[in-house]
Amino acid sequence: MSSTEVVEPKAESHHPEVVEADRLSHDNHAYDLDEKANASDYKADAINAENSEHNMGVLEAVRAYPMATFWAFVMSFTIIMESYDVFLCNNFVALPAFKNKYGIYDEGTNGYVITTGWQSALQVSGQLGALIGVFLAGPLTSRIGYRWATITALMLLNCFIFVFYFAETLPVIFVSQILEGLPWGIFIANAPAYCSEIVPIKLRAPATQMLQMFWAIGSIVVGAVTYVYNTDLDDNAYKIPIALQWMFPTPLAILLFIAPESPWWLVRKGRLEEAAKAVGRLGHKSRLDNTKETVAMMRRVVELEKTEKEPTLFELFKGRDLYRTLIVCGVYASQNLTGNLIANQAVYFFEQAGLGTDTAFALGLITSALQWIFVMLSWILTTYIGRRTIYLWGTAVNVVLLICLGIAGSVTASIASTNAVASLGLIISVLFTLGAAPASWVIIGETSSLRLRPLTTGVGRACYYIVEIPCIFLASYLLNPTGGNLGGKCGYVWGGTGLLCFIIAYFYVPEMKGRSYREIDILFRRKVPARKWAKTTVDVQDDE
């Protein structure tokens, strides 16, 4: 037997407070952009926006945020300039025209070589400048935003290229590379942070991994140009590749001038109306339910991290932010210890493995092209399998291959051993861009707290350079015929360092796939062990 409850309609209330509440509840999410509103006032909208991002598929996210994808592409493009110059200097030490002008005669090779000292100096000079640049990037970006900090760096780079182009001695080239490194530091600190902030959860992996893709593109351009000029023995062989750097900064500066600022940065500054407009510019208006809800979601996360103080470098090394900083620093630094230096010195490595100059440059170009393809494949793996999984397996595979490289370099010299060393060098360089390298960019972009993100990415990249600089000297010594002349046996060294990186990452790098920034903040605050992140649930109502 059933019963039916009859509910009498309530009489319309004309009480002023009730009328005002009803008006606000229908006033297009009025509290979302109200600076005086309490967190509880816009929490429901924040939850709706977060749930909406969680429920999006990858293709749906691309359709909903097409311009976010485009602007992430543009910001990532700035990395091509550091990549281009790093590979350019590495290729110059193998370029006949450059060696003939700046090298010394070596009886063992019956030709000119750049001495080990200058070879290492040229390779670290840009990194020294970038090390300074990343420390400038954090305070500068926190103050004026990602766009203007990057535009300023692009204009400075235009000026510094003149010094490199007109340099006639190795010391002046060294100084020019330090100067060029200053804007590189700003690019590399800002790009992963900006890309991770302007896209929804499902696009954070491919958006930040575009950085690795553009690193590969920079090496392809350099490889193609130096391959064309490697038989040319006049100054054009290295002057033209230097001049080609001017084709990047000005077009990028124009594009970034019209790009939206990161809405997360605007929310942190309390510019809520501008943040809502930025979200609208990033998404397809017909598919976005409400830009104000997205801003409410951002406000909720910013409130979790809010303090009265301005962000400082000292905060990176306090409490749970220390753990987050160490993850970013460790992942950045490990790029130099798991095969990256072989990838960056591919042409020189192939030469020292016993291949001819023309073949070495051709293989270097093939390596760069394969890296570009494999980076795009990594988008799928990291998006669907996870960051931690790909990072760990990629590192483990590279460690095994590096040890195999050492074994191949240890056997008696022959055509077969030379081919084995060259082949393994190519495979290591390519697989590095499928696993550890692209996954590391995603981890770097997601780990830090939003409030400290510009500072964290800057300090993390500084760690990269601090480790890279001595490693470059070591790598040059290991390969140079006037140094260790180890050839493929250098695989033992990098295999050992790679194994150490794998062990540390296994215990300390968490899985952040599919996590909102709110969830990531909460998991760090709860001190959940890295290996248990994937199985831990964070309730949508939790604020702590």
Side-chain angles (χ1 to χ4, degrees):
M1 186 174 181
S2 63
S3 62
T4 304
E5 181 181 353
V6 179
V7 180
E8 295 292 335
K10 293 182 179 179
E12 184 177 351
S13 173
H14 295 286
H15 193 284
E17 292 180 1
V18 175
V19 172
E20 178 64 10
D22 288 342
R23 185 187 69 78
L24 285 174
S25 67
H26 293 91
D27 189 21
N28 199 22
H29 311 278
Y31 286 123
D32 294 347
L33 303 184
D34 183 357
E35 293 182 22
K36 297 180 180 179
N38 296 319
S40 58
D41 295 328
Y42 54 79
K43 183 173 181 177
D45 285 345
I47 290 172
N48 288 339
E50 185 176 323
N51 286 338
S52 177
E53 287 201 9
H54 275 304
N55 295 332
M56 277 184 187
V58 175
L59 294 179
E60 184 184 356
V62 172
R63 287 192 290 265
Y65 289 90
M67 293 309 295
T69 307
F70 173 74
W71 293 121
F73 181 91
V74 172
M75 182 61 87
S76 298
F77 204 103
T78 59
I79 303 305
I80 203 172
M81 286 170 287
E82 180 179 1
S83 169
Y84 184 97
D85 205 271
V86 166
F87 283 100
L88 189 63
C89 282
N90 286 337
N91 283 10
F92 275 174
V93 300
L95 194 70
F98 192 85
K99 290 192 291 185
N100 289 345
K101 180 164 184 176
Y102 298 110
I104 61 170
Y105 186 77
D106 177 53
E107 293 183 358
T109 59
N110 193 29
Y112 286 88
V113 297
I114 305 298
T115 61
T116 302
W118 271 115
Q119 180 181 326
S120 300
L122 292 178
Q123 289 171 343
V124 303
S125 52
Q127 279 71 8
L128 287 171
L131 179 59
I132 300 169
V134 292
F135 281 110
L136 297 175
L140 183 65
T141 302
S142 294
R143 186 175 182 82
I144 66 175
Y146 293 102
R147 288 172 57 250
W148 284 110
T150 306
I151 290 169
T152 302
L154 288 166
M155 293 298 96
L156 287 173
L157 183 61
N158 263 336
C159 300
F160 297 149
I161 293 171
F162 278 99
V163 182
F164 190 16
Y165 183 80
F166 290 105
E168 290 295 328
T169 64
L170 288 177
V172 177
I173 292 176
F174 178 79
V175 172
S176 73
Q177 289 300 282
I178 292 177
L179 292 174
E180 285 196 32
L182 296 174
W184 298 352
I186 296 174
F187 301 150
I188 203 69
N190 282 355
Y194 180 85
C195 292
S196 69
E197 288 186 10
I198 65 172
V199 297
I201 294 170
K202 295 298 171 62
L203 296 182
R204 286 207 305 252
T208 49
Q209 284 175 317
M210 277 196 282
L211 296 162
Q212 190 66 41
M213 182 185 75
F214 280 110
W215 188 271
I217 290 173
S219 68
I220 290 172
V221 176
V222 169
V225 172
T226 52
Y227 178 70
V228 169
Y229 286 99
N230 86 88
T231 56
D232 198 340
L233 297 180
D234 61 21
D235 290 356
N236 285 336
Y238 53 88
K239 288 289 187 182
I240 291 176
I242 293 171
L244 286 175
Q245 290 180 98
W246 275 308
M247 67 182 171
F248 301 121
T250 302
L252 284 172
I254 294 169
L255 284 171
L256 287 172
F257 179 75
I258 61 176
E261 184 54 82
S262 162
W264 288 93
W265 183 87
L266 292 168
V267 170
R268 291 196 293 272
K269 293 295 181 180
R271 293 154 62 175
L272 305 181
E273 292 285 351
E274 292 178 60
K277 291 177 183 177
V279 172
R281 290 187 61 196
L282 293 169
H284 196 292
K285 291 182 180 180
S286 65
R287 297 185 62 87
L288 290 175
D289 295 330
N290 196 294
T291 57
K292 294 182 181 179
E293 283 190 352
T294 305
V295 173
M297 175 187 70
M298 296 174 181
R299 290 185 70 182
R300 186 185 183 195
V301 178
V302 170
E303 283 296 323
L304 288 176
E305 304 175 357
K306 192 172 183 179
T307 68
E308 296 298 323
K309 301 177 183 177
E310 284 293 312
T312 65
L313 287 170
F314 295 108
E315 289 183 70
L316 301 181
F317 305 99
K318 294 180 179 179
R320 295 309 288 173
D321 283 314
L322 172 61
Y323 179 30
R324 300 170 86 157
T325 302
L326 290 175
I327 291 173
V328 173
C329 290
V331 169
Y332 253 135
S334 68
Q335 290 184 359
N336 296 300
L337 304 171
T338 54
N340 187 39
L341 287 173
I342 289 179
N344 285 356
Q345 293 181 313
V347 173
Y348 189 68
F349 174 82
F350 292 138
E351 272 198 342
Q352 300 313 308
L355 300 178
T357 300
D358 204 48
T359 305
F361 274 95
L363 271 180
L365 182 56
I366 291 169
T367 300
S368 299
L370 289 172
Q371 286 175 336
W372 178 59
I373 294 169
F374 274 66
V375 168
M376 289 189 286
L377 289 175
S378 74
W379 295 352
I380 301 170
L381 296 177
T382 312
T383 300
Y384 290 102
I385 298 177
R387 295 81 159 115
R388 171 184 163 89
T389 305
I390 297 303
Y391 184 82
L392 289 177
W393 279 104
T395 302
V397 169
N398 254 26
V399 167
V400 172
L401 290 173
L402 284 164
I403 293 171
C404 291
L405 174 66
I407 294 170
S410 301
V411 302
T412 305
S414 65
I415 294 176
S417 64
T418 298
N419 290 339
V421 168
S423 299
L424 282 166
L426 188 150
I427 293 168
I428 290 166
S429 300
V430 170
L431 288 185
F432 179 72
T433 59
L434 178 66
S440 67
W441 290 110
V442 190
I443 295 167
I444 289 160
E446 293 178 330
T447 301
S448 62
S449 66
L450 287 158
R451 180 173 170 273
L452 299 175
R453 179 154 295 159
L455 296 172
T456 307
T457 53
V459 168
R461 190 64 180 184
C463 238
Y464 171 91
Y465 293 126
I466 289 169
V467 173
E468 184 186 34
I469 289 168
C471 282
I472 286 174
F473 280 99
L474 176 61
S476 298
Y477 173 80
L478 294 177
L479 292 177
N480 200 295
T482 63
N485 197 26
L486 293 183
K489 285 180 281 190
C490 68
Y492 291 130
V493 177
W494 304 125
T497 56
L499 179 61
L500 178 63
C501 292
F502 172 82
I503 294 170
I504 295 172
Y506 178 78
F507 289 103
Y508 293 105
V509 175
E511 179 57 79
M512 288 172 277
K513 171 180 171 285
R515 297 289 189 182
S516 68
Y517 288 130
R518 179 188 65 87
E519 292 171 317
I520 292 171
D521 272 352
I522 290 172
L523 287 168
F524 273 116
R525 290 187 182 200
R526 291 179 181 174
K527 301 182 180 180
V528 177
R531 288 169 290 164
K532 295 183 179 180
W533 272 50
K535 297 178 181 179
T536 303
T537 301
V538 179
D539 191 271
V540 73
Q541 296 287 342
D542 288 350
D543 286 314
E544 53 183 84

